[in-house]
Amino acid sequence: MINTKEILETIQMISEENLDIRTVTMGISLLDCTDKDIDVACERVYEKITRCAKNLVSVCEGIEREYGIPIINKRISVTPIAIVAAPCESKETYKFAYALERAARTTGVNFIGGYSALVQKGFSAGDRELIESIPKALAETEHICASVNVGSTKAGINLDAVELMGRIVKEAAELTAHKGCIGPAKLVVLCNAPDDNPFMAGAFHGVGEPDCVINVGVSGPGVVRAALQKSEGLNITQVADLIKRTAFKITRMGQLVGTLAGERLGVPFGIVDLSLAPTPAVGDSVAHILEEIGLEQCGACGTTATLAMLNDSVKKGGVMASSKIGGLSGAFIPVTEDAGMIAAAESGNLIIEKLEAMTAVCSVGLDMINIPGDTPPEVISAIIADEAAIGMVNSKTTAVRVIPAIGKKVGDRLSFGGLLGEGPVMRVNTSSPKKFIARGGQIPAPMQSLKN
């Protein structure tokens, strides 16, 4: 039973410390929308999304007004479109992107995720066609997010898909160079992708999920930092405990919003994702939490250890506050979306190699990183392979969302606006991995995959 008084305790957090519900995401299954005729399938997709989500935005806005809780994004995730497109005789898969865009505009949501393919063990019908269409789909839509899962602990890593995604990321940047290279900012390459993630760009609605469900993603880095600012003299054990108690309060708000939204929309409440999702706003930074714990600047020696403690404490505190936990759950470290990360990258304290080490202990991976526009596709593929290996071996979700800044070099800036923020173009090691990437095939699953 939710005690409303527990939620009201967070009013100060909302008004002064940037606490919000980052997203309420409705997951919708499109398995019943398939057809041999791609135009018929696209129309079915549009009809189902607009029918299921017609009241999503208005319900969320009603909860915002009633409880004073900001809900920043209202989103939709759908069955990976490669699955829906598989029976279609036409291979003009990008038509599904147009149908999703039309549905996004009709329902008024911020994004629709699920222009996706799951190829960790190989390509099935519809997968390659969808992946090849991603640059065009992202260039010609505004509200569509794409993702491709190239590896898992159970399956290993599909190196052929990794090689392909290096080229796709580069092409997506080139096709949107006139829009600030926004294409790759809406594309993520994953390992161990969860079926119920509410956060973009990696959200999709897994085939084992209900027909329709509500998932919630909470935020709150500013709240955690504010709590730490008021608690001088604590040892690290006490700091961890303070973060746990703060995460509990944050998550209770997510539980309330998810439960209310599900009831009012007449669909099941799925999960709360416990992730601390930063924004470019001052005071809403994961990097600043690490600095409050005791680092001079994010990227210094000790960053990985403090981040590991933060990530663990957020999970331990949040899991007791919600009946259903899922998604990614932890602390995000997207460079352009975090004011502290941006400052650390600009000063040179935070480099990609250090970010890679940090991804071994936190949610997701190398996220929203601007790289030089002339970075070769095989280098992008190798970045993806490295991050997928961390996820595969550690049985965790990892991802890569890098943006080749076409026409820009190290030290230049690239701006996306809004929650995607802006940041410097970071140096990439361009020593060639071409021969490795060109080998193709499947990197075998690790021993820890044999758990049965």
Side-chain angles (χ1 to χ4, degrees):
M1 179 67 68
I2 294 173
N3 184 343
T4 304
K5 290 183 180 179
E6 293 175 347
I7 306 304
L8 296 179
E9 290 177 358
T10 66
I11 294 301
Q12 182 181 357
M13 300 177 185
I14 292 169
S15 61
E16 299 178 13
E17 298 164 6
N18 299 301
L19 177 61
D20 58 56
I21 297 296
R22 185 52 45 83
T23 180
V24 171
T25 301
M26 175 177 279
I28 302 173
S29 173
L30 301 180
L31 294 175
D32 54 351
C33 297
T34 59
D35 195 273
K36 289 184 178 180
D37 187 318
I38 194 168
D39 295 317
V40 171
C42 286
E43 194 57 37
R44 289 178 178 174
V45 165
Y46 172 80
E47 187 280 327
K48 183 164 187 184
I49 292 173
T50 54
R51 171 168 47 86
C52 292
K54 63 181 179 180
N55 295 322
L56 175 61
V57 172
S58 61
V59 164
C60 290
E61 289 174 345
I63 294 171
E64 287 183 277
R65 289 191 299 270
E66 185 175 345
Y67 289 88
I69 299 171
I71 301 174
I72 305 304
N73 285 291
K74 297 84 177 174
R75 298 166 171 169
I76 295 169
S77 63
V78 298
T79 305
I81 291 297
I83 296 172
V84 184
C88 298
E89 294 175 346
S90 168
K91 299 307 177 185
E92 298 172 298
T93 312
Y94 59 85
K95 288 185 175 182
F96 283 99
Y98 300 157
L100 295 175
E101 178 70 16
R102 194 157 53 100
R105 293 178 184 275
T106 299
T107 57
V109 296
N110 303 97
F111 288 111
I112 294 184
Y115 199 78
S116 308
L118 311 178
V119 296
Q120 58 268 23
K121 209 168 184 178
F123 299 95
S124 60
D127 288 336
R128 193 177 289 273
E129 288 80 8
L130 180 127
I131 293 172
E132 295 281 5
S133 74
I134 285 174
K136 176 181 174 69
L138 296 180
E140 297 181 3
T141 62
E142 294 182 13
H143 300 87
I144 307 309
C145 290
S147 61
V148 178
N149 192 71
V150 299
S152 73
T153 301
K154 277 289 187 183
I157 300 171
N158 181 347
L159 198 58
D160 294 314
V162 169
E163 186 276 332
L164 176 57
M165 289 312 301
R167 292 188 280 115
I168 293 299
V169 169
K170 187 69 176 283
E171 185 182 346
E174 291 169 344
L175 288 185
T176 55
H178 62 295
K179 300 179 182 178
C181 303
I182 190 68
K186 298 185 291 180
L187 167 62
V188 62
V189 187
L190 293 144
C191 177
N192 287 321
D195 288 346
D196 54 5
N197 166 29
F199 285 103
M200 301 298 167
F204 62 85
H205 188 69
V207 295
E209 294 289 298
D211 190 61
C212 190
V213 70
I214 288 291
N215 297 320
V216 172
V218 297
S219 183
V223 176
V224 175
R225 185 191 184 196
L228 291 171
Q229 285 176 321
K230 302 170 187 174
S231 304
E232 292 291 331
L234 300 183
N235 65 34
I236 200 66
T237 306
Q238 293 166 326
V239 167
D241 188 59
L242 175 61
I243 293 170
K244 284 192 292 184
R245 287 186 276 116
T246 306
F248 180 91
K249 294 179 181 179
I250 294 170
T251 306
R252 289 299 274 177
M253 190 175 75
Q255 172 83 9
L256 173 67
V257 169
T259 302
L260 289 171
E263 289 174 353
R264 296 179 184 186
L265 289 164
V267 301
F269 163 53
I271 58 94
V272 174
D273 187 313
L274 304 180
S275 301
L276 290 180
T279 72
V282 175
D284 200 27
S285 162
V286 169
H288 287 158
I289 295 174
L290 306 182
E291 292 162 10
E292 197 64 46
I293 292 170
L295 303 177
E296 181 178 355
Q297 190 171 45
C298 181
C301 296
T303 297
T304 304
T306 52
L307 181 59
M309 184 274 294
L310 171 64
N311 203 58
D312 179 67
S313 299
V314 167
K315 291 182 180 181
K316 286 175 177 174
V319 76
M320 297 300 293
S322 177
S323 58
K324 300 177 181 179
I325 300 298
L328 300 166
S329 290
F332 288 176
I333 53 170
V335 175
T336 71
E337 298 176 13
D338 185 307
M341 295 283 178
I342 295 168
E346 288 178 328
S347 71
N349 272 334
L350 188 63
I351 60 176
I352 289 179
E353 288 78 6
K354 183 59 175 178
L355 280 163
E356 182 181 305
M358 293 163 66
T359 66
V361 300
C362 76
S363 290
V364 200
L366 296 171
D367 195 14
M368 289 303 295
I369 298 173
N370 299 326
I371 62 175
D374 60 357
T375 303
E378 62 269 19
V379 171
I380 299 173
S381 295
I383 292 171
I384 293 169
D386 283 344
E387 199 59 35
I390 291 174
M392 175 184 71
V393 171
N394 291 287
S395 301
K396 69 184 292 292
T397 303
T398 52
V400 171
R401 185 164 49 151
V402 295
I403 300 92
I406 304 303
K408 295 184 181 292
K409 61 184 185 301
V410 174
D412 292 342
R413 293 183 69 82
L414 191 62
S415 177
F416 308 102
L419 289 177
L420 295 176
E422 63 177 348
V425 176
M426 299 179 69
R427 183 193 65 82
V428 173
N429 185 339
T430 55
S431 181
S432 180
K434 191 170 185 178
K435 184 176 179 180
F436 159 58
I437 296 299
R439 286 183 181 276
Q442 189 84 5
I443 296 178
M447 281 297 294
Q448 51 265 46
S449 67
L450 303 177
K451 291 183 178 180
N452 290 333

